[in-house]
Structures are given as C-alpha cells and as structure tokens.
Amino acid sequence: MKAVIMAGGAGSRLRPLTSNQPKPMVSLANRPLMEHIVRLLKRHGFTDIVVTVQFLASLVRNYFGTGEDLGVSMSYATEESPLGTAGSVKNAQGALDETFVVISGDALTDIDLEKVVTFHQERGALATVVLSHQPNPLEYGIVVTDEEGRVDRFLEKPGWGQVFTDTVNTGIYVLEPEIFDAIPDGEPYDFSKDVFPKLLEKGAPIFGCIADGYWTDVGNVDAYRKAQQDALDGLVNIEMPGFEIADRVWVGEGAILDPEARIESPALIGEHVKVEAGATVREYCVVGNNSAIKSGAFLHRATVHDNAYIGAGTTLRGCVIGRNADIRSNARIEEGVVLGDECFVGKDTLIQPNVKIYPYKRVDAGAVITHSIIWESSGARTLFGNRGVSGLINVDITPDFAVRLGMAYATTLKRGAAVVMSRDASRASRTIKRALIAGVNGSGVHVQDLEVTPVPVTRFHVRTTRSRGGIAVGTVPGDPQSLEIRFFDSDGSDITASTQRDIERVFFREDVRRAFPDEIGELRYPPRALEFYQSGLLDALDIDAIRSAGLKSVVDCAFGPASLVLPAIIGKIGSETLTVNGYVDESRPTMTHAERDAIRTHLCELVRTSRADLGALLETTGETIDIVAGGGSLIPRDTALLLMVDMVAEVWPGRTIVVPVSAPSAVEKICEARGGRAVRAMRSLAAILATALQENAVFAGTEDGTYAFPDGLPAFDGIAAFCTLHELLAKSETSLGERLSGLPAANVVHRTVPTAWDRKGAVMRRVAGDRSADRTDETEGLKLFHGSDWALVIPDPEDPVTHVWAEGPTEGESRAVAERYVSLIEEALD
C-alpha cells in the first residue's frame, strides 16, 4: 500500500521559523518534522511514498531525495499553486491506483497506521478519517460520528457554541482511488470542507477511526515547543537521534561535553556539538548539530537549531534559536522569543519576551529589543472578543498597539478605501482613536472622523456613505478602566468572525501594508452626520401617530454622546419629554454598577412624580436601553424583551421576530398568537442582526436591553428603540402597565460553571451524551428539551467558564433544571 505525505504547507503561523523553509522541514528533536513521518510510515510497512510539494519544494526534494537513505522509495508531485488538501492529492492521482494512506508532513504522531488500515478494510469504507481526542478542539476540524463509527458531519474550526465533541480530524486518511471522482482537476479543494461533506450527502461510506497514540498539529510556536517537550518526555514514540548516555539525555556522535559542563535531563545534544566548561544546559533543551555552547552560557527550555554559536555568559530561556544564529557574549534572550535563521545578536543585548526576529537581521550590541524586527509583536493571544478588541487602558490597549491594529485593519481593505471612526467623550478614547487613525492612514486608507458620536450614528454613517467599514472607540460599559474598539462592516453591522480572523492574521504575522508618501490616507471631518441620522430615524417613524397620542416621557442620556442627537429628535416627534443628564461629560464615559443603580432609582422617581407614560435610560454607547413603566417601576430586561415582542407582534402582525437562543419560550407563544413567527439566533449581536436581515424580520432583541428595527435602521439602536416605543404605545393604545399585566412570566435562570480551557471539549461531549432529552437544538451550544423545560449549555469564548441557561414553568423548576446540568458539567470536570 502506498502513502501520500502532504508537504506543501508554508506554515505562516510558525514564522519566522518558516520564513525561509517549508513547515515540514522545521527541525524537531534535531530532525525535520517530515522525517519523523517518513520513519513512522516505514515502521508500519509503507515504503512507497508520494510527496506533494508546493512552497519551497526544492528544499524538501534536496533533503530527502529518493528516500533511499531512510529505506523507502519517494517520488514527488509538485503544485504550481496551492490546491488544498484534496487538490494536492488529486495532483498525484497517476501514482495512486489502489488503497492508500494520506498523512500530513508537518504533524507529530505515533498512531498505529496498520490498525487504521485494518479498520478501513473491515468496514468497506470509501474513506476513513483518523480522529484524536483534543482538550481544546477549536483550532481543528471537529468530526461527529455515530456509534458504529460512521461520520455524521464535519465542523471546520468551530466556535465554542458549535463544539459538541472533542474528537478532531488529524488530517490522516485511508482512501480508495474512487475518491478522485469527487475531486475536480486543477482547482483548490479540501477534504474536510469540500469532498467529505458532499460525499456524506450522497450517503457514501465515510468512517472515523478514533486512534490510540500521540498526535499533535505543530501549528504555531507554542505547539512547536510543546511537541518538542513531549518528545523529550517520551510521550510520543519517535526515534531520538544519538545515544542515551543517561535517563532521557541523548548525545549525538562526535559531541564534546566538558566534564565541568552541566547537562540536566531531559535534553538532546546533537552531533559534533561542543559544550564548554561552566556552561549549563538545563531540562527540556535541544541543541542542534554542529553548535557551540561557550563557557558560562545558561540554557533552560531552549531550542537551538543547527550550526548556532551561543556566546559566553549568554542566557536563553524558553526561546527558539534558528539555524546559523550568532549570539555574542552576555546576551539575554527571554521566554517566547523566536530568532530566525542567520541572525546576529550583539553582546550584552536584551531581547524581551515574545519578540520575533525574522531571518538575516542584525541586532547591535547593547540593544534592548521590546518589539519584533522589523514589525512589532503582540504576543500569542486572540484579539477579538464578544465586543471587538478590549482591554485595560494603557496596559492592554496602548497607543502603539492601536497603531498596529489600525494598520492591520487597513491592510485587509483596498488602498484608497474610506472608513468611518468615532469615539465616546473620554480622553483615553480620544488618544486611542488618534493612534488608530495614524495606523489606518499609514496603510493608505482614508478616515472620516465623526469625533464624539453615539455608536448608532456611526453605524448609520458607515452604511449611508458607502464606506468600507467603521471603528468606534469607547469605554467598556460598567468598567471605566477599560476600552473597547469595535469594528463595523460596510453595512454598519459588526464585522464577521471571518473578517476578525483576517485582521488577526495580518496583526500576528505583522504583515501590514505600508503606504508610500503619496498614498497616505486622508483625514476628513464630514459635516451634518448627526442631521442625516436624525432625518433617517424620523423617516422610519410614524410621527403623526406619536404626536396624536400626546405621550409624556422621561429619558436619561447618562452624560453620553446620545445627548448630542436625541433632544432634536424628541422635538420633532412632538413628545413631551424631560431629558436628564443631557450633556457630554468626559469624566463620566460610562456608569459603574453602583452609579447605574442610582441613576435608575432617580429615573423611576422622576417618572412617578411627573406622571409620565414611560421612562428610559440610555447606555453611554447609545445602543442599550432600560425601560421604566408609568408609575415609576423599572422593567427587568428579560421582561422588557417580552414586552417589546408583544407590542411589535400586535402593531405589525404576521411578521418575523428574532431573539437569541437563550430567550424565554414565551416569545414563540406571543408571536404565534399574532400570526407571526419567532426565529432563534446565536447570542452575539452580530449573529442576531444578521439573522434578522436574512429573515426579513421586523424586530430583533436581546435580554440585555438591545433592540433593532431592521425595516428602518438595521442596527441595535437605543435611540431608535426609545422613539419607536412611543410609536408602539400610540398605535396599541395601551399603557406599559397594562401590557405588563398580560405578559407570561419569564422564568429563565442563568448559571456559570468555572471550566478550564482544556476541559471545555470534554464538558460538551458529556452534555451531548445526555440521552434523556426529548430533542436537541444546536443553534449555539446545546439546548436540550425535556417536555416544556429546557437547558442551554454554551462554553464561554473569552473566559474559562461554561454558561447554563434553563427554563421551567416556575422559577424554582427552572433552578432545578439548571442545577441538573451544572451537576452534569461538574461530573465531567471531575
């Protein structure tokens, strides 16, 4: 049986280690990754190997040749351009006329391939996918199988809300030649994204084999270091080069270790290495062939590739040093640093943690390097959360960070495009917005600066001026010490997860576009943006109905930018409205929880004493609203959602309403009673709004006080919600108190369970294994129904917790349902 090794990967996430070599050629345990795969294949009887190559293919060919030195026969199939996993194998079809194995050349594994082949043959499969349990399955393709091992579906790099198991696709397949009938010639095509899903639709026999043994995708520097450590610990069965002179200490032929040198287990010292007296090589170090470690050098958890010179007194901690590196005396290279090939580091240099230095660079003696050369590094963490990019002011979100983020964002746009920017009233937001403008302009993109403006106005301006996108900088609601940077698509909605990944990819690769002097973007200040928004909102309202109702209201603008636009709108709709805190105060960019409670109490008192029909508190962003009923009672936000659904369904009957998957079941009952329908969406605001637009919905809302009316202004907008609430009350000819008395109870309870990141997959697998549910909804997470009761389990994408929502006929029964699943999660954790 033949084997195919896919060796065309560029390995962009491993840069700078892969800046000048393909990923399969990166050294691990002093051998290229692909050599470990070749040795695994030979060990299991695969000696006829076809290698698919594309990026820097000559380096692979020159190293392995015909494979004779490794006791195998190797041939090559070259791609002129990347063809994807399936396309690259299709390119080698001429050499594959019987059952064959496909394996990636840049993974590390010791899986028993003979057992996998036996599994494949016994089941008469067209394709068998080798699966592995992984504690954090987000970075991989998840494969769901039935009890017999037949594949049910594939999920490529899901979010936590789509994780139903922790079995992932290893990229190892056993295939029959008939698979080529499903792969087109000469175009990019992927097995898990394209081939297998289409074959599943036709009922083809595709199986998943959960294999014993070690497997990891060496996808980034952290994974590379972990794989290196696992190899030294003996967790993966590979052939270590050299002689084991002590427990887990391997030394290559010709190496010279001075008796005064200190070597600690586990460690791997390559061929012809010289370690001088006084040098210390502590645990989890790998030193490449022909390297020199001078006296007094200190290495701990460091990986040094071939032909490196480590000067006297140098300290290397948790770093990776490329081939032919020259590091002079007393240099200090800290945790997480990656030094590319052929770099020179002068004496007494300090390279701070997580810096990346690309190949062929020179660092002068005595320099202190805090950022990558030539472009800065940000560390290995995800940029985007539920509300864009956020963090502590001048700790996580700094001006230099904002410049780099602005450049990364602009790089994803065409040169000469225009984007809209705005901010809240705080000085911190002003500073960060200016830095973002510098980065965006520096990458050749124009900026329309709205200055201090509510977020809904920014969204409206992006959409109506046909800008390519927008950015709003503001203080995190409830946390005056933190900022958030929110990005919008050309239609004013939050950018998609795909766009977020594009920005992150550029940011982390530091592959930003730099504009020439005549290409620098312009900074413009568009006039009358607030007036255009006011006009658009007024056009969406039935002003005559509002005026005829003669409603009285109280609104608190919370010292936010909404105070710049709302009073003028109120004057034109003819409402008798008392505006409180209706000015911008830069010292109050957000409300703390205590301040919000005090403002709510004051608002309720004003509504009661003024005998107003309603009251509203606008969040400082202008997107979220709290509603107060006549008489001065604050309406809880989950009840307010039911109230809005009830009024919308009556005034605009027969239409679609979109709510999050965690909203009360009463939403469906209310909609159906009015001839409409309710559609559930994932909980993120972007997903809810996208679903609303797709379903042509009249209303979308959440239990957190955010509402949208897509017919008029397709965005979550507290200002529009306040005005539309007047219209709903006018047309329904009822008071809020009367509406509330007729609403069903909202008994949804919410719990959080602390869950380590590496246990979330196992938790969801345990929940998915609960067979007592009548049915399951997988819109986001797992929603399990037991008659009229339900529980919803979603792993949090930002924090190490798992969320549980539950609803029953009463609040007590809701708590009981929630506790049942909390206990189930805790059992999985134990």
Side-chain angles (χ1 to χ4, degrees):
M1 187 177 295
K2 293 184 178 180
V4 178
I5 297 178
M6 295 182 291
S12 58
R13 291 185 297 160
L14 266 177
R15 292 177 185 171
L17 296 179
T18 53
S19 295
N20 56 339
Q21 64 180 338
K23 185 178 173 184
M25 293 302 298
V26 172
S27 176
L28 190 143
N30 283 348
R31 283 178 175 149
L33 279 166
M34 182 173 149
E35 182 172 339
H36 294 296
I37 296 299
V38 173
R39 291 175 180 271
L40 173 72
L41 289 170
K42 182 189 176 187
R43 191 159 69 239
H44 290 287
F46 297 85
T47 56
D48 195 349
I49 299 171
V50 180
V51 183
T52 67
V53 290
Q54 196 271 322
F55 177 70
L56 297 178
S58 61
L59 296 182
V60 178
R61 289 199 199 92
N62 292 343
Y63 182 90
F64 289 98
T66 63
E68 181 180 0
D69 292 344
L70 295 173
V72 298
S73 174
M74 298 175 69
S75 59
Y76 300 87
T78 304
E79 308 166 45
E80 297 303 323
S81 60
L83 295 175
T85 55
S88 66
V89 177
K90 175 78 170 183
N91 193 47
Q93 180 178 0
L96 304 169
D97 55 1
E98 59 184 1
T99 305
F100 60 95
V101 169
V102 176
I103 190 169
S104 173
D106 51 28
L108 183 65
T109 183
D110 59 9
I111 286 174
D112 189 335
L113 299 177
E114 294 172 80
K115 287 186 178 179
V116 175
V117 172
T118 301
F119 176 98
H120 173 85
Q121 293 172 337
E122 289 176 348
R123 285 157 178 78
L126 172 64
T128 295
V129 182
V130 179
L131 308 178
S132 173
H133 291 298
Q134 292 294 313
N136 184 355
L138 287 191
E139 293 300 317
Y140 309 97
I142 287 179
V143 180
V144 181
T145 60
D146 62 18
E147 296 177 354
E148 298 177 359
R150 185 180 289 267
V151 173
D152 182 56
R153 59 182 156 156
F154 292 83
L155 291 170
E156 270 299 300
K157 296 187 178 180
W160 276 116
Q162 299 169 296
V163 174
F164 313 128
T165 180
D166 61 354
T167 53
V168 304
N169 180 0
T170 65
I172 303 173
Y173 312 118
V174 184
L175 305 173
E176 297 298 325
E178 290 78 11
I179 199 78
F180 292 121
D181 296 338
I183 307 173
D185 287 316
E187 64 180 77
Y189 223 62
D190 189 84
F191 279 117
S192 57
K193 292 181 181 177
D194 303 310
V195 178
F196 294 151
K198 291 181 179 179
L199 289 174
L200 285 177
E201 292 177 1
K202 298 178 181 179
I206 300 177
F207 286 79
C209 175
I210 301 178
D212 296 327
Y214 180 94
W215 175 87
T216 188
D217 173 30
V218 187
N220 54 42
V221 174
D222 288 340
Y224 172 77
R225 293 172 58 195
K226 179 66 165 57
Q228 194 94 260
Q229 178 177 322
D230 290 347
L232 292 173
D233 279 335
L235 300 182
V236 54
N237 181 19
I238 60 173
E239 300 173 33
M240 299 292 283
F243 306 95
E244 189 171 5
I245 63 170
D247 181 35
R248 293 187 297 154
V249 175
W250 294 269
V251 177
E253 182 179 356
I256 300 175
L257 310 182
D258 192 282
E260 299 296 321
R262 179 183 174 188
I263 312 294
E264 295 184 6
S265 170
L268 171 61
I269 309 297
E271 298 177 356
H272 306 292
V273 169
K274 183 176 182 180
V275 182
E276 292 187 352
T280 299
V281 180
R282 290 194 57 187
E283 69 271 15
Y284 298 114
C285 284
V286 175
V287 180
N289 302 329
N290 305 304
S291 295
I293 312 297
K294 303 300 285 184
S295 62
F298 178 88
L299 284 68
H300 185 207
R301 291 179 289 107
T303 297
V304 179
H305 290 178
D306 295 349
N307 304 305
Y309 175 89
I310 311 300
T314 291
T315 298
L316 307 180
R317 294 182 183 272
C319 55
V320 181
I321 307 299
R323 295 172 298 178
N324 301 307
D326 185 353
I327 303 176
R328 297 301 172 92
S329 61
N330 299 312
R332 186 180 184 93
I333 301 180
E334 296 290 0
E335 191 85 14
V337 171
V338 182
L339 193 71
D341 294 347
E342 306 277 354
C343 284
F344 173 86
V345 178
K347 66 178 183 178
D348 300 316
T349 296
L350 171 61
I351 303 179
Q352 298 282 26
N354 298 318
V355 165
K356 296 177 182 177
I357 299 179
Y358 279 66
Y360 313 110
K361 305 302 177 186
R362 180 184 181 89
V363 180
D364 292 337
V368 177
I369 307 301
T370 60
H371 298 297
S372 293
I373 299 176
I374 293 190
W375 298 294
E376 297 182 13
S377 174
S378 63
R381 70 179 182 91
T382 301
L383 288 176
F384 285 88
N386 286 331
R387 292 175 59 94
V389 180
S390 61
L392 290 171
I393 299 167
N394 266 342
V395 177
D396 301 311
I397 307 296
T398 61
D400 61 323
F401 171 86
V403 170
R404 292 183 284 122
L405 180 60
M407 295 187 77
Y409 172 58
T411 301
T412 66
L413 306 175
K414 290 184 178 180
R415 185 183 283 108
V419 298
V420 178
M421 286 198 195
S422 68
R423 65 176 177 91
D424 68 12
S426 71
R427 296 178 184 177
S429 295
R430 179 175 58 198
T431 300
I432 297 303
K433 189 199 69 177
R434 288 174 175 174
L436 284 163
I437 290 173
V440 171
N441 284 163
S443 289
V445 172
H446 307 303
V447 173
Q448 299 182 51
D449 186 5
L450 302 183
E451 301 183 277
V452 179
T453 304
V455 171
V457 177
T458 306
R459 293 182 186 271
F460 181 85
H461 196 80
V462 170
R463 184 171 60 255
T464 55
T465 59
R466 298 182 180 178
S467 299
R468 294 299 301 167
I471 301 176
V473 184
T475 310
V476 173
D479 184 3
Q481 301 301 315
S482 298
L483 280 183
E484 60 183 13
I485 305 170
R486 301 173 65 184
F487 292 81
F488 309 132
D489 275 331
S490 58
D491 60 358
S493 61
D494 293 332
I495 60 173
T496 64
S498 175
T499 304
Q500 291 177 3
R501 287 193 292 270
D502 289 341
I503 296 171
E504 289 177 341
R505 190 177 298 114
V506 175
F507 185 91
F508 289 125
R509 289 180 181 177
E510 300 156 348
D511 194 16
V512 297
R513 179 178 64 223
R514 308 234 170 177
F516 292 107
D518 60 342
E519 297 173 336
I520 298 293
E522 296 179 0
L523 176 59
R524 305 162 183 161
Y525 297 91
R528 305 178 64 190
L530 297 180
E531 295 177 39
F532 291 144
Y533 170 79
Q534 293 167 7
S535 177
L537 176 53
L538 291 171
D539 287 343
L541 298 171
D542 188 341
I543 297 176
D544 292 336
I546 297 173
R547 286 175 176 169
S548 63
L551 297 172
K552 181 186 288 187
S553 59
V554 181
V555 62
D556 193 320
C557 294
F559 309 103
S563 61
L564 300 175
V565 63
L566 186 56
I569 295 174
I570 291 172
K572 292 180 180 179
I573 65 175
S575 170
E576 184 182 344
T577 301
L578 170 63
T579 302
V580 184
N581 299 324
Y583 61 95
V584 174
D585 186 346
E586 72 171 24
S587 66
R588 297 177 177 178
T590 188
M591 299 175 285
T592 64
H593 296 297
E595 290 171 339
R596 183 183 292 110
D597 290 342
I599 289 176
R600 284 171 173 168
T601 301
H602 184 232
L603 175 63
C604 290
E605 182 65 18
L606 287 175
V607 171
R608 185 183 65 80
T609 56
S610 65
R611 299 183 179 179
D613 297 290
L614 73 149
L617 169 61
L618 286 170
E619 186 62 77
T620 48
T621 62
E623 294 179 292
T624 302
I625 183 173
D626 284 304
I627 302 172
V628 177
S633 59
L634 178 69
I635 304 174
R637 286 181 173 179
D638 55 354
T639 304
L641 174 61
L642 294 181
L643 173 69
M644 295 295 286
V645 168
D646 184 49
M647 299 178 72
V648 168
E650 179 181 310
V651 173
W652 297 300
R655 297 291 303 276
T656 298
I657 289 174
V658 176
V659 295
V661 65
S662 55
S665 300
V667 171
E668 279 80 4
K669 298 176 184 177
I670 294 171
C671 291
E672 291 168 4
R674 300 301 204 299
R677 71 186 185 105
V679 175
R680 301 275 174 163
M682 297 176 71
R683 283 181 46 80
S684 74
L685 296 182
I688 294 170
L689 187 60
T691 303
L693 295 174
Q694 180 181 347
E695 298 288 341
N696 192 29
V698 67
F699 171 75
T702 75
E703 318 98 308
D704 299 321
T706 48
Y707 311 113
F709 299 88
D711 283 350
L713 299 174
F716 288 102
D717 187 340
I719 301 170
F722 175 70
C723 296
T724 306
L725 188 55
H726 284 73
E727 180 179 339
L728 294 171
L729 281 173
K731 290 184 174 180
S732 64
E733 298 181 349
T734 55
S735 69
L736 290 180
E738 292 171 336
R739 309 294 306 198
L740 288 169
S741 63
L743 287 178
N747 294 318
V748 177
V749 298
H750 176 221
R751 290 284 308 276
T752 58
V753 184
T755 308
W757 287 105
D758 61 358
R759 296 297 298 159
K760 287 187 176 182
V763 163
M764 295 308 293
R765 177 156 54 96
R766 178 67 182 89
V767 174
D770 179 17
R771 304 299 182 187
S772 64
D774 300 330
R775 61 187 178 92
T776 302
D777 181 347
E778 298 173 356
T779 300
E780 182 177 15
L782 290 171
K783 189 173 185 179
L784 303 104
F785 292 85
H786 302 269
S788 60
D789 302 346
W790 58 262
L792 172 65
V793 181
I794 302 178
D796 192 285
E798 296 185 46
D799 297 313
V801 299
T802 300
H803 295 278
V804 178
W805 289 267
E807 184 182 32
T810 66
E811 186 173 342
E813 290 174 284
S814 298
R815 288 199 186 98
V817 176
E819 287 301 325
R820 174 185 173 187
Y821 281 92
V822 167
S823 298
L824 197 67
I825 293 169
E826 290 172 344
E827 288 176 10
L829 294 174
D830 290 341

